[in-house]
């Protein structure tokens, strides 16, 4: 699945990985089913990452909430705590451009790539995200034998400051640079840990 992650050529990048090993492969297979359900329930990511982190909801091209598995062309509507986006009426938006699922004899994985976009209810409007449209966030869960991992890889991350008001530029710069310096993109480590946690 690593070959699906775009090459890094500009701006910042980040790599967040959490892993857990089960005693046996059969236990890992069973637990991976739980991880998949969590991963494909985007509306519940806030629950796994922690309520103080950003919230995500899955939306269609009209901005309507979806209660189903994500598909290419769907959107994530994101709310960053304390730093609401004036461009997207308080929200940041990304669009799903690739989903890939693979399974072999002793491994399985699911990959989702999203890219900053405009608010789908205002498609002619400017990019409603703190990164510009060159950036991608790449989400991956995989099982290899008895090991399960959840990963988030950010690529080509630069603040979105084109054709924006002074307020929008300052906000995006603060959020983007804050995320790049933290390296964890606000909550990625909390999310990856939450996705793979064991049910003890």
């Amino acid at each position: 699945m690593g070959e699906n992650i775009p090459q890094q050529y500009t701006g910042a990048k980040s790599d967040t990985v959490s892993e857990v090993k089960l005693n046996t492969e059969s236990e890992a297979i069973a637990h991976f089913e739980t991880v998949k359900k969590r991963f494909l329930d985007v509306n519940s990511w806030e629950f796994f990452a922690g309520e103080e982190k950003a919230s995500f909801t899955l939306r269609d091209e009209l901005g309507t909430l979806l209660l189903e598995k994500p598909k290419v062309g769907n959107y994530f509507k994101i709310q960053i705590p304390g730093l609401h986006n004036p461009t997207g009426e308080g929200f940041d938006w990304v669009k799903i451009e690739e989903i890939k699922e693979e399974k072999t004899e002793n491994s399985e994985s699911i990959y989702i790539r999203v890219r900053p976009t405009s608010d789908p209810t205002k498609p002619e409007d400017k990019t409603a995200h703190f990164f510009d449209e060159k950036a991608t966030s790449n989400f991956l869960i995989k099982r290899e034998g008895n090991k399960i991992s959840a990963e988030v890889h950010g690529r080509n991350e630069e603040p979105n400051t084109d054709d924006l008001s002074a307020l929008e530029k300052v906000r995006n710069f603060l959020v983007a640079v804050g995320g790049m310096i933290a390296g964890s993109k606000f909550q990625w480590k909390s999310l990856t840990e939450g996705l793979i946690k064991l049910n003890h």
Side-chain angles (χ1 to χ4, degrees):
M1 283 289 185
E3 70 276 5
N4 296 291
I5 299 172
Q7 292 294 311
Q8 171 69 18
Y9 61 88
T10 187
K13 61 178 285 191
S14 68
D15 297 286
T16 304
V17 180
S18 296
E19 296 180 345
V20 63
K21 280 190 175 181
L22 285 296
N23 292 324
T24 65
E25 185 169 7
S26 61
E27 288 180 334
I29 291 170
H31 184 55
F32 192 69
E33 288 303 309
T34 298
V35 175
K36 282 201 297 187
K37 288 177 183 175
R38 294 170 178 169
F39 184 65
L40 295 173
D41 184 8
V42 175
N43 299 319
S44 293
W45 282 9
E46 178 185 7
F47 172 76
F48 299 116
E51 292 183 1
E52 76 281 4
K53 304 299 193 298
S55 63
F56 294 77
T57 54
L58 186 68
R59 304 281 170 157
D60 65 13
E61 69 279 359
L62 300 177
T64 305
L65 179 66
L66 295 173
L67 302 176
E68 56 189 48
K69 293 180 180 179
K71 299 181 179 67
V72 171
N74 289 164
Y75 296 79
F76 291 178
K77 184 180 182 181
I78 308 165
Q79 186 164 26
I80 306 294
L83 285 166
H84 299 168
N85 187 354
T87 307
E89 296 187 356
F91 300 94
D92 292 274
W93 291 85
V94 294
K95 188 174 184 178
I96 300 174
E97 63 178 30
E98 184 167 350
I99 298 177
K100 194 169 185 179
E101 190 164 358
E102 292 182 352
K103 192 168 186 176
T104 67
E105 188 175 348
N106 65 349
S107 69
E108 46 192 320
S109 61
I110 304 176
Y111 167 77
I112 299 175
R113 181 169 69 237
V114 301
R115 187 181 299 273
T117 188
S118 59
D119 180 338
T121 65
K122 305 173 182 177
E124 73 291 341
D125 211 347
K126 46 202 169 188
T127 299
H129 195 274
F130 50 89
F131 288 138
D132 68 21
E133 67 281 354
K134 293 189 296 295
T136 60
S137 292
N138 302 270
F139 303 93
L140 173 65
I141 56 167
K142 62 182 177 182
R143 179 189 65 80
E144 296 172 314
N146 67 333
K147 183 177 75 173
I148 295 171
S149 63
E151 308 177 11
V152 182
H153 302 279
R155 292 294 182 266
N156 304 304
E157 297 172 331
E158 291 189 329
N160 175 24
T161 56
D162 290 342
D163 301 319
L164 300 180
S165 69
L167 174 63
E168 292 167 332
K169 288 181 180 181
V170 169
R171 181 267 179 185
N172 287 349
F173 184 79
L174 289 173
V175 177
V177 172
M180 291 186 290
I181 291 172
S184 63
K185 305 272 76 62
F186 303 101
Q187 65 164 26
W188 295 147
K189 191 64 176 180
S190 297
L191 177 61
T192 57
E193 292 286 338
L195 289 173
I196 66 169
K197 68 180 178 182
L198 299 172
N199 298 317
H200 292 317

